[in-house]
Amino acid sequence: MVKIFWFRKDLRIFDNRALEHFIEDTKPGEKFLLLYIKNRNSFKYFGEMRVSFLYESLKEMVILLKEKGYNFNIIKGDSPIVFKELQSKYGNISVYANRQTEPYSIERDKAIMDFLSTKGSSLKLYSDTTLFEPDEITKDDGNPYSVFTPFSRKCLNLISENHYKSSNCKIEKLSPEDNISSEIFKYEDLKKSPLFCGGRTEGLRLLKEFYKNGLDKYKSQRDFPSVKGTSFLSAHLHFGTVSIRECYRAALKKQKEIKNDEEVKVWMNELLWREFYYHITHHFPYVINSSFKKQYDKLEWNYDEKSFKKWCEGKTGYPIVDAGMRQLNEEGWMHNRVRMITAMFLTKDLFIDWRWGEKYFAEKLIDLDFASNNGGWQWSASTGCDAQPYFRIFNPYLQSQRFDAKGTYIRKYVKELKNVPDKCIHKPDDMNKEQQVNCGVVIGKDYPFPIVEHKSVKENVLNKFKSITK
Ligand SMILES: Cc1cc2nc3c(=O)[nH]c(=O)nc-3n(C[C@H](O)[C@H](O)[C@H](O)COP(=O)(O)OP(=O)(O)OC[C@H]3O[C@@H](n4cnc5c(N)ncnc54)[C@H](O)[C@@H]3O)c2cc1C
């Protein structure tokens, strides 16, 4: 029997639930393998910067484990085939991993589990990615929640130390002599995000910095994209270089340290939004390609490739939208407020199917997380659970004035507008010819006219939603 630990969205050897069980169950003299599979399927939509972040995280693990005398095996291939090969090479295998709740991961794990069990082998899964088990939070009648506030209330009522205490991973208990090594993985040299660096060291640095300088101001700062007011931990949480329990413990510690914990509570609430979208994906797996509110699948979206391309490239003529899309393209990340503005603009002002936007974000985001991306898109498109009601359509100009008043964020990413005066930065096409010449940008030549007129498309969109809303 060979024991295999399969690292997936948990790239750390600290506070890792399945790893704790693996270490406990592996007896001296038992051969074991530490494994990561670079799966072709799951990489289909990954952007270069995301893969680069992942490689950095893997590299750090390779080095750390090597220092401790272990080999971390990174294998390229499709996981079901990899396990077939490992099974035929080693005979019985006992595989440990942390559970993934995305519908396609569940299907894949089931296929692997079924195959292994016919060979007297096994795949054991543990809960690690979220604070709560996928089935743990239900309404009193046992049904799943579809509204965030009561869901979060239930989470806060039920949470106990068991949910957030650190798991006890003493990897040193594994004997290096029993560690099997296989092939050496070749990393490709990929485009890096100027904003993010993978690996646990960096993840912990961000958490520490946020704990010191951001957590107690989170509520006041988090909505302003030109301010460093959020944790920047999403990609680390996705790849598991930092655990959700470490984040929750940090928030609890801060709460005890300060008098008014309102700012911290709002951050904890965001961590629960993440839990909520995992809950939705687990209980309503059809959201993978359908609207949560099924009647909205009848909407006749506008599949206009030309407008979509302009949105992707950040050339809509709406500075706040363009700044967001350019940040995404350049850095592989976008501020949450701007994710909402750009997603709402695509689905309402351009009335383009949220699935197109979801896919584009998936291709670009380093922190791509199926549940949160799908949830965020369906929230913005008003097709989701507890979504923004369809009649509350963001006005991109007002959002811009409110959350980027001086245009600092816009100027950073839409460089051609850098000399536009503050009062015109949100709608530069209002400048007359002389003003345009004075600030070095001719609208229609150096920066586009608005792709649509917000006011006039709004009515049309409302009618489309109204016609199928019961
Ligand atoms: C259209 C759209 C798409 C999105 N796609 C993703 C995605 O693919 N991956 C992703 O992690 N988040 C996604 N989000 C949620 C949110 O924008 C990011 O989690 C956040 O911007 C990450 O920055 P941060 O780590 O500094 O967050 P912080 O503000 O510091 O929040 C801490 C953590 O809480 C979680 N979180 C915060 N806000 C949300 C939220 N609204 N929904 C779910 N979890 C949240 C994240 O894990 C985040 O790292 C999306 C939101 C929208 C509107």
Side-chain angles (χ1 to χ4, degrees):
M1 164 78 75
V2 167
K3 289 247 166 66
I4 298 177
F5 189 81
W6 183 14
F7 286 95
R8 312 196 298 181
K9 282 165 61 178
D10 52 347
L11 299 179
R12 62 184 189 282
I13 56 170
F14 175 79
D15 194 4
N16 181 326
R17 288 269 164 89
L19 187 61
E20 180 184 11
H21 288 278
F22 177 78
I23 295 167
E24 255 169 35
D25 294 355
T26 306
K27 303 290 170 252
E30 240 179 336
K31 294 284 174 213
F32 70 89
L33 188 79
L34 304 173
L35 178 71
Y36 182 87
I37 302 173
K38 188 176 178 253
N39 204 322
R40 205 159 16 100
N41 271 342
S42 48
F43 277 71
K44 226 170 14 198
Y45 299 120
F46 280 23
E48 208 175 326
M49 288 185 266
R50 176 171 165 87
V51 181
S52 168
F53 182 99
L54 168 66
Y55 280 179
E56 282 164 351
S57 307
L58 290 172
K59 259 187 195 166
E60 196 176 300
M61 293 256 297
V62 169
I63 294 166
L64 178 70
L65 285 164
K66 203 169 195 121
E67 277 169 11
K68 294 180 182 290
Y70 308 108
N71 289 298
F72 184 30
N73 301 279
I74 302 165
I75 297 181
K76 234 180 187 171
D78 291 335
S79 30
I81 296 169
V82 169
F83 283 110
K84 271 186 193 156
E85 287 169 359
L86 290 170
Q87 157 77 40
S88 66
K89 189 167 174 187
Y90 298 119
N92 280 3
I93 55 176
S94 171
V95 186
Y96 288 65
N98 283 308
R99 183 176 292 114
Q100 286 183 240
T101 53
E102 298 83 2
Y104 42 85
S105 310
I106 292 174
E107 216 174 280
R108 177 203 57 204
D109 287 351
K110 189 176 177 312
I112 294 171
M113 230 176 231
D114 289 349
F115 164 75
L116 290 179
S117 65
T118 60
K119 304 280 178 189
S121 294
S122 63
L123 167 62
K124 289 183 185 148
L125 297 175
Y126 298 87
S127 190
D128 179 85
T129 311
T130 45
L131 292 163
F132 295 93
E133 298 273 351
D135 280 326
E136 206 175 337
I137 304 293
T138 56
K139 293 184 199 166
D140 293 343
D141 63 8
N143 284 317
Y145 283 100
S146 56
V147 178
F148 174 72
T149 306
F151 169 87
S152 63
R153 218 180 288 128
K154 187 75 161 256
C155 291
L156 293 171
N157 278 341
L158 285 185
I159 199 154
S160 69
E161 206 191 334
N162 279 337
H163 292 101
Y164 54 78
K165 75 172 182 210
S166 177
S167 66
N168 190 12
C169 286
K170 289 241 169 357
I171 194 127
E172 291 77 9
K173 280 191 184 166
L174 299 172
S175 162
E177 290 100 74
D178 300 330
N179 186 194
I180 300 171
S181 153
S182 69
E183 60 198 90
I184 306 288
F185 181 75
K186 284 191 195 67
Y187 300 97
E188 299 138 70
D189 217 1
L190 297 168
K191 186 176 160 195
K192 265 175 68 75
S193 163
L195 197 63
F196 290 102
C197 190
R200 180 163 170 79
T201 309
E202 174 63 7
L204 288 182
R205 188 192 68 75
L206 286 175
L207 180 58
K208 213 166 149 190
E209 190 182 309
F210 181 64
Y211 183 85
K212 229 169 108 192
N213 298 322
L215 196 42
D216 59 349
K217 307 183 226 12
Y218 180 74
K219 183 181 173 207
S220 320
Q221 296 193 340
R222 67 177 180 137
D223 267 320
F224 302 96
S226 66
V227 175
K228 213 169 164 238
T230 66
S231 69
F232 290 84
L233 279 166
S234 48
H236 291 280
L237 276 168
H238 173 82
F239 287 108
T241 41
V242 172
S243 90
I244 184 68
R245 294 178 293 281
E246 287 177 296
C247 291
Y248 199 80
R249 288 198 297 272
L252 286 176
K253 191 167 167 222
K254 195 71 180 181
Q255 271 190 313
K256 286 188 195 136
E257 227 176 67
I258 54 177
K259 271 199 190 117
N260 180 358
D261 66 354
E262 267 315 300
E263 305 270 344
V264 183
K265 274 187 180 159
V266 175
W267 195 63
M268 290 163 120
N269 209 46
E270 293 307 310
L271 299 181
L272 293 181
W273 269 104
R274 179 177 175 274
E275 297 278 321
F276 179 61
Y277 285 138
Y278 271 89
H279 171 87
I280 295 297
T281 309
H282 174 72
H283 289 286
F284 307 95
Y286 66 83
V287 296
I288 191 165
N289 43 30
S290 298
S291 300
F292 178 86
K293 292 185 185 123
K294 287 184 174 163
Q295 79 260 33
Y296 290 135
D297 276 339
K298 290 193 205 123
L299 284 168
E300 286 175 15
W301 297 103
N302 182 8
Y303 294 99
D304 174 3
E305 292 189 13
K306 246 176 152 176
S307 307
F308 181 64
K309 188 164 179 280
K310 285 186 179 156
W311 175 83
C312 294
E313 289 172 350
K315 292 182 180 163
T316 65
Y318 282 80
I320 190 71
V321 174
D322 294 342
M325 295 310 292
R326 293 188 201 186
Q327 178 179 28
L328 177 67
N329 294 332
E330 283 164 33
E331 297 179 350
W333 189 83
M334 196 196 293
H335 186 277
N336 180 58
R337 169 59 49 186
V338 194
R339 288 190 207 203
M340 294 193 285
I341 297 172
T342 52
M344 181 81 82
F345 186 82
L346 185 80
T347 54
K348 302 288 169 50
D349 291 79
L350 301 182
F351 202 60
I352 287 179
D353 194 331
W354 58 268
R355 282 160 280 232
W356 281 23
E358 183 197 26
K359 182 167 176 285
Y360 190 73
F361 269 33
E363 286 164 5
K364 296 287 171 187
L365 281 174
I366 296 174
D367 69 16
L368 165 68
D369 198 87
F370 172 76
S372 302
N373 195 35
N374 183 275
W377 272 98
Q378 296 224 38
W379 183 93
S380 310
S382 305
T383 61
C385 56
D386 204 9
Q388 180 81 332
Y390 73 84
F391 46 84
R392 253 184 243 147
I393 298 178
F394 280 5
N395 177 323
Y397 298 124
L398 296 182
Q399 289 284 315
S400 187
Q401 282 163 12
R402 185 158 168 215
F403 298 110
D404 190 33
K406 291 202 165 302
T408 316
Y409 176 77
I410 292 173
R411 287 193 186 86
K412 182 169 178 196
Y413 297 100
V414 189
K415 301 229 165 29
E416 59 270 39
L417 300 180
K418 71 175 188 300
N419 295 324
V420 171
D422 290 1
K423 69 176 192 325
C424 303
I425 192 77
H426 309 288
K427 198 173 182 311
D429 50 295
D430 273 354
M431 290 191 293
N432 62 32
K433 278 276 175 287
E434 195 190 338
Q435 284 172 310
Q436 293 180 28
V437 170
N438 285 345
C439 62
V441 59
V442 176
I443 304 300
K445 182 169 156 264
D446 305 315
Y447 184 72
F449 280 109
I451 185 173
V452 286
E453 199 208 338
H454 175 72
K455 243 194 208 156
S456 60
V457 287
K458 191 176 159 189
E459 223 26 62
N460 189 22
V461 172
L462 286 176
N463 287 336
K464 289 192 178 190
F465 268 93
K466 242 183 246 166
S467 68
I468 53 164
T469 302
K470 284 165 204 147

